[in-house]
Amino acid sequence: MLTSDISTPRTLEIRGLSVCATRRGHHIDLVRNLSLTLNTGEILALVGASGSGKSMTCAGAQGVLPPGVISPHGHVLVDGVHLAPRALRGRLVSTVLQNPRSAFNPVRTMFDHACEVRRVAAASPAGDKTAVREAFLEVGLEDADTVMDLYPFEMSGGMLQRVMIALAILSGAPFIFADEPTTDLDLIVQARILDLLSGLVARRGLGMLLVTHDMGVVARLATRVAVMEAGQIVEEAPVADIFHAPRHPATRALVAAHLKLYEGAIA
Ligand SMILES: Nc1ncnc2c1ncn2[C@@H]1O[C@H](COP(=O)(O)OP(=O)(O)O)[C@@H](O)[C@H]1O
Ligand SMILES: [Mg+2]
């Protein structure tokens, strides 16, 4: 099935995803039979303790697992149509990662990166400076023409994160997987990037899977929340229920830790 057969995607479903590795001869399940549905126009937060399998879920769904890690089971469907990972990546799903510096090729300019993203997304022409300029302006890179000629080492982490979000816009993908997108940024830049991401979802009607361990970010941005523990989703609910009526011990622990931190900060 070609990507172009899907005109206005509304849902992305991950069904029965398993991810596993072998360590010292032992088989380890990193993600176990995980299913979730992401709708366009919403932010679904994927939360859980460090090591619970959030990043492996994103990587497994897109077929970009590290060496030695495999996904023996799982499907991704967009509007009910089963798609191979290569049909998703950069076309229907774009990614915003935690460490923007390592996500860029050090010997390529920002414009080169934009052209590559447009080429993968089959946007024509790939080297359309006007489209790149508009995307850079939309993410608040006001001197867009100068930024196009910069290399990663010439930019701050916050600027690089803005470019990564601009690249997501340029891909035209209706879904974004944002894996801890603000973890490596200082607090003020974090707040700006979060505003930018939520504005993008609201304006463009994108569907965002927002991976985070920060319940403050969840409270501020998410519509729904899926909680992971040991490779499985143990609770899924609207954001208000997660904070006011958490059911699973893992959810209660995350909310309690968040409240403790918050109360400590205002004491
Ligand atoms: N390259 C790898 N090979 C084997 N196991 C890994 C690898 N990377 C991460 N893991 C393990 O996979 C589990 C889930 O990791 P991850 O998805 O990165 O967690 P999270 O994003 O929730 O913090 C962890 O137990 C981690 O130790
Ligand atoms: Mg992670």
Side-chain angles (χ1 to χ4, degrees):
M1 179 63 68
L2 293 174
T3 318
S4 55
D5 291 344
I6 297 166
S7 48
T8 51
R10 300 193 61 83
T11 62
L12 181 150
E13 295 168 70
I14 299 174
R15 287 286 165 260
L17 180 71
S18 297
V19 175
C20 55
T22 307
R23 208 177 285 159
R24 290 187 212 97
H26 294 288
H27 172 100
I28 306 164
D29 291 322
L30 308 180
V31 176
R32 296 183 226 185
N33 194 24
L34 178 144
S35 296
L36 61 79
T37 300
L38 173 65
N39 303 301
T40 44
E42 74 165 357
I43 298 180
L44 171 63
L46 185 60
V47 303
S50 181
S52 56
K54 305 182 297 295
S55 295
M56 288 294 171
T57 298
C58 294
Q62 294 184 86
V64 287
L65 290 163
V69 180
I70 58 162
S71 176
H73 305 288
H75 304 284
V76 178
L77 297 93
V78 173
D79 283 353
V81 178
H82 178 268
L83 292 176
R86 69 174 183 285
L88 293 170
R89 281 196 308 270
R91 297 179 182 178
L92 290 162
V93 178
S94 62
T95 321
V96 177
L97 297 167
Q98 174 173 349
N99 181 346
R101 206 159 290 284
S102 63
F104 285 85
N105 183 333
V107 297
R108 293 297 191 89
T109 65
M110 296 301 115
F111 183 65
D112 293 339
H113 285 87
C115 294
E116 175 63 14
V117 163
R118 284 177 61 81
R119 195 187 58 71
V120 170
S124 175
D128 179 0
K129 275 207 164 168
T130 307
V132 178
R133 187 179 297 119
E134 279 172 10
F136 281 15
L137 288 173
E138 183 170 347
V139 299
L141 292 163
E142 282 170 15
D143 201 352
D145 286 289
T146 304
V147 174
M148 280 189 222
D149 292 334
L150 297 180
Y151 290 87
F153 76 90
E154 298 177 291
M155 299 177 60
S156 68
M159 281 175 86
L160 285 170
Q161 200 57 304
R162 283 180 195 274
V163 173
M164 194 140 42
I165 296 166
L167 298 181
I169 294 172
L170 283 165
S171 77
F175 300 100
I176 296 185
F177 286 3
D179 190 352
E180 306 270 7
T182 58
T183 301
D184 284 359
L185 305 173
D186 69 54
L187 278 179
I188 297 191
V189 179
Q190 274 188 22
R192 290 184 185 143
I193 295 291
L194 292 172
D195 284 346
L196 179 57
L197 288 171
S198 59
L200 214 66
V201 170
R203 273 196 313 282
R204 292 179 169 261
L206 305 178
M208 186 180 304
L209 183 67
L210 177 64
V211 175
T212 180
H213 63 265
D214 184 339
M215 295 303 281
V217 170
V218 173
R220 196 164 139 190
L221 260 64
T223 323
R224 284 188 302 131
V225 184
V227 182
M228 279 192 84
E229 185 184 59
Q232 291 179 299
I233 291 184
V234 293
E235 181 165 359
E236 194 179 329
V239 67
D241 294 355
I242 289 290
F243 282 94
H244 299 303
R247 283 176 285 125
H248 193 276
T251 315
R252 287 205 282 269
L254 285 170
V255 173
H258 168 68
L259 291 177
K260 199 169 170 192
L261 202 63
Y262 178 69
E263 281 159 8
I266 58 171

